[in-house]
């Protein structure tokens, strides 16, 4: 029997959001006015080594980035876990609840391996996890949490009855449902693939999984995957195959452009927020690029596609959603997978003014009328893959397709900026600035100077 539980609110707001707001404001106040009290805002876990034991780097122990509570950059703590403890995603409950495996050891189930993780990517979602605003992180893990989705490394441990297609030492990449900011992760094998020979580094491998899966699922919702021109279910039979892609030079956007080219869509119109990103968007395969920092976005979009777009990919949120919908052609689909403009850009922590701004933006979010959707023949669809723990087969099939395209050199690695784990705060600052092109990837093995 299915029941709909009504969530209780405080002054019309989700109490978890209010608690996150209070936690962030407390961090801002302490860092700004009384930093000597900052250590009291950094909760530790029993799985962590004591400070004195964590100074020396021990390759046999897991190093990870732990977030103990919502807050600013100060919450990004590089810690060493006790011997034999790994990080783990929330969908591996048959081993342990996230974020850590048991301190007294664990038996590896037949569907999982331990990956010695050598590189992970940084996504904007990780910043919202740190702020306490990422719904799936709150719902399935809570705090402490080890963020991150993308991994790339080698198989370190396999099940006793090894009936899988992996062996110790295999080079692999894939996704975990949180826990990737770590040097050692327990991951189901269905979420991993061997790194093809055309990818020559773990950093490049770590730049692919989450953003490419997001891009392909977005095109699936748009009706262009799976299926080719000969299948009646495919929207390729529609005359209008135009697509507008916001943030076309970013992580997801770069793959949306490439996949749209592979799937025969066009014209492909990319939108970027800085002039420095125009050339990259063209290089990826855009037929036209709109630099919204130097021209009116929607006038340029109308000029590029006067009849409206068959598909618009929008992760911006309040700043573009309304006009994205208005720019759809009849039968057009608006695919929503983020709300970046609802959140502060380039902020290390969220002070009271930023929360007021976010509340105002939220109140201005567009609402779509069911009758207008019907008479306009338009659709609005949204998704977040971090909720897809039970949808393993469809994501596995998509991963296979992505691997095939990579192996056939139909998809290329995005521009990669490498950083070290000790500089994770700089990585968060960079991705939230809006200045990054492609992917930020963090390597887990410290250099001699670390």
């Amino acid at each position: 029997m299915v029941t709909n539980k009504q969530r209780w609110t405080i002054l019309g707001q989700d109490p978890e959001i209010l608690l996150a707001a209070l936690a962030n404001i407390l961090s801002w106040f302490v860092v700004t006015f009384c930093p000597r009290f900052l250590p009291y805002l950094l909760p530790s876990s029993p799985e962590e080594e004591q400070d004195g034991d964590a100074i020396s780097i021990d390759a046999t122990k897991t190093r990870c980035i732990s977030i103990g509570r919502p807050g600013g950059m100060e919450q990004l703590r590089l810690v060493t876990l006790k011997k034999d403890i790994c990080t783990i995603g929330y969908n591996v409950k048959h081993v342990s609840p996230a974020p850590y495996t048991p301190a007294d050891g664990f038996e590896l189930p037949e569907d999982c391996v331990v990956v010695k993780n050598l590189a992970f990517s940084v996504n904007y979602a990780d910043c919202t996890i740190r702020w306490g605003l990422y719904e799936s992180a709150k719902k399935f893990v809570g705090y402490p949490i080890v963020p991150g989705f993308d991994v790339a490394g080698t198989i370190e441990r396999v099940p006793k009855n090894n009936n899988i297609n992996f062996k110790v030492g295999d080079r692999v990449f894939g996704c975990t449902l949180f826990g990737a900011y770590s040097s050692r992760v327990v991951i189901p094998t269905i979420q991993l693939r061997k790194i093809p020979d055309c990818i020559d580094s773990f950093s490049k491998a770590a730049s692919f999984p989450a953003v490419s899966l997001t891009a392909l699922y977005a095109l699936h919702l748009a009706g262009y995957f799976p299926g080719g021109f000969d299948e009646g279910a495919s929207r390729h039979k529609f005359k209008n195959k135009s697509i507008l892609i916001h943030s076309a030079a970013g992580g997801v956007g770069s793959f949306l452009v490439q996949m749209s080219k592979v799937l025969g869509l066009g014209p492909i119109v990319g939108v970027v927020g800085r002039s420095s990103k125009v050339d990259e968007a063209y290089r990826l395969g855009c037929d036209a690029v709109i630099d919204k920092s130097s021209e009116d976005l929607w006038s340029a979009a109308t000029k590029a596609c006067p009849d409206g777009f068959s598909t618009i990919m929008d992760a911006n949120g309040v700043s573009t959603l309304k006009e994205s919908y208005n720019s759809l052609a009849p039968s057009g689909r608006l695919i929503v997978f983020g709300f970046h403009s609802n959140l502060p850009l380039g902020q290390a922590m969220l002070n009271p003014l930023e929360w007021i701004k976010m509340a105002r933006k939220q109140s201005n979010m567009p609402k779509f009328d069911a009758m207008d959707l019907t008479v306009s023949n338009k659709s609005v669809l949204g998704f977040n893959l971090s909720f897809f723990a039970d949808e393993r087969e469809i994501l596995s099939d998509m991963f296979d397709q992505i691997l095939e395209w990579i192996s056939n050199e139909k998809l290329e690695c995005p521009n990669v900026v490498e950083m070290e784990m000790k500089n994770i705060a700089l990585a968060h600052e960079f991705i939230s600035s809006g200045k990054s092109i492609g992917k930020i990837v963090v390597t887990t093995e410290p250099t001699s100077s670390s």
Side-chain angles (χ1 to χ4, degrees):
M1 180 178 179
V2 178
T3 59
N4 292 321
K5 293 183 179 179
Q6 182 158 5
R7 301 182 69 173
W8 60 283
T9 62
I10 300 175
L11 299 177
Q13 298 296 317
D14 183 340
E16 291 184 353
I17 297 296
L18 295 179
L19 289 174
L22 290 173
N24 279 272
I25 291 170
L26 178 61
S27 287
W28 166 79
F29 182 87
V30 171
V31 170
T32 305
F33 299 107
C34 43
R36 68 181 183 276
F37 293 114
L38 187 58
Y40 296 103
L41 300 184
L42 305 176
S44 61
S45 304
E47 291 84 0
E48 298 173 21
E49 292 280 23
Q50 298 302 313
D51 290 345
D53 299 327
I55 295 174
S56 61
I57 297 171
D58 184 346
T60 66
K61 295 179 180 179
T62 300
R63 302 169 80 225
C64 67
I65 304 297
S66 174
I67 299 174
R69 57 179 284 279
M73 299 295 190
E74 81 285 347
Q75 293 301 320
L76 296 168
R77 298 171 54 247
L78 175 56
V79 302
T80 299
L81 302 180
K82 294 177 180 177
K83 188 173 176 59
D84 297 327
I85 298 179
C86 310
T87 59
I88 193 168
Y90 80 79
N91 64 322
V92 199
K93 295 178 182 177
H94 52 302
V95 175
S96 172
Y100 305 121
T101 57
D104 56 353
F106 63 97
E107 183 175 344
L108 195 62
E110 293 184 357
D111 63 338
C112 293
V113 294
V114 175
V115 174
K116 182 181 180 183
N117 192 27
L118 298 173
F120 60 84
S121 75
V122 176
N123 296 289
Y124 190 76
D126 305 338
C127 297
T128 62
I129 291 170
R130 173 170 50 81
W131 290 328
L133 300 176
Y134 205 68
E135 184 64 27
S136 59
K138 295 185 300 174
K139 181 176 181 179
F140 299 120
V141 183
Y143 294 91
I145 185 170
V146 177
F149 302 105
D150 301 298
V151 300
T154 59
I155 300 291
E156 185 176 81
R157 180 181 164 193
V158 296
K160 289 182 179 178
N161 298 321
N162 186 7
N163 296 318
I164 59 176
N165 293 322
F166 296 114
K167 63 182 185 299
V168 172
D170 282 346
R171 300 168 70 248
V172 295
F173 71 136
C175 287
T176 175
L177 291 171
F178 308 115
Y181 280 30
S182 171
S183 62
R184 193 170 279 103
V185 193
V186 176
I187 306 179
T189 55
I190 196 171
Q191 296 166 209
L192 296 170
R193 296 295 184 275
K194 293 180 182 178
I195 299 175
D197 293 337
C198 59
I199 300 179
D200 59 9
S201 74
F202 290 109
S203 292
K204 289 181 179 179
S207 72
F208 274 95
V211 287
S212 60
L213 285 167
T214 299
L216 190 53
Y217 191 79
L219 287 163
H220 164 68
L221 288 186
Y224 293 113
F225 181 85
F229 295 91
D230 298 329
E231 296 192 21
S234 172
R235 293 185 75 223
H236 279 294
K237 289 183 176 287
F238 281 85
K239 180 179 179 182
N240 188 341
K241 303 180 187 66
S242 60
I243 183 169
L244 180 101
I245 300 169
H246 290 283
S247 303
V252 177
S254 64
F255 281 103
L256 281 169
V257 173
Q258 295 181 76
M259 291 177 181
S260 295
K261 206 79 172 178
V262 171
L263 293 171
L265 308 188
I268 301 169
V269 180
V271 181
V272 297
R274 296 174 182 269
S275 299
S276 59
K277 299 184 178 184
V278 171
D279 289 343
E280 175 68 5
Y282 274 119
R283 189 190 68 80
L284 289 165
C286 287
D287 299 306
V289 177
I290 300 170
D291 175 11
K292 62 183 180 182
S293 70
S294 63
E295 58 184 321
D296 180 73
L297 166 57
W298 300 111
S299 297
T302 301
K303 182 178 179 181
C305 197
D307 296 329
F309 292 90
S310 169
T311 303
I312 296 182
M313 300 292 183
D314 195 330
N316 287 335
V318 66
S319 65
T320 55
L321 276 179
K322 181 178 179 181
E323 289 306 317
S324 287
Y325 177 78
N326 291 339
S327 298
L328 289 173
S331 81
R333 298 184 185 184
L334 171 59
I335 312 299
V336 182
F337 53 94
F339 304 93
H340 295 174
S341 67
N342 293 37
L343 301 167
L345 192 66
Q347 296 294 319
M349 59 184 63
L350 304 184
N351 59 46
L353 181 59
E354 295 298 340
W355 285 95
I356 293 172
K357 290 179 179 177
M358 284 195 292
R360 183 178 179 183
K361 290 176 181 178
Q362 185 64 28
S363 68
N364 291 328
M365 282 285 286
K367 297 177 175 61
F368 301 101
D369 182 81
M371 184 172 290
D372 182 64
L373 290 170
T374 303
V375 298
S376 300
N377 286 289
K378 297 179 180 180
S379 303
V380 180
L381 302 101
F383 71 99
N384 183 326
L385 291 184
S386 68
F387 285 91
F388 278 41
D390 295 328
E391 302 298 341
R392 293 154 57 110
E393 297 300 328
I394 185 171
L395 294 182
S396 180
D397 290 347
M398 288 186 174
F399 204 167
D400 288 338
Q401 178 62 78
I402 290 165
L403 186 61
E404 179 183 325
W405 284 338
I406 292 171
S407 300
N408 293 336
E409 299 185 355
K410 292 183 178 181
L411 295 180
E412 64 176 58
C413 174
N415 180 67
V416 170
V417 177
E418 281 191 16
M419 294 187 176
E420 296 182 40
M421 284 184 87
K422 66 179 181 180
N423 296 324
I424 189 63
L426 292 177
H428 272 227
E429 182 179 344
F430 190 31
I431 198 167
S432 64
S433 71
K435 298 178 182 178
S436 61
I437 298 176
K439 291 291 295 179
I440 300 168
V441 174
V442 174
T443 55
T444 64
E445 291 196 334
T447 62
S448 57
S449 60
S450 297

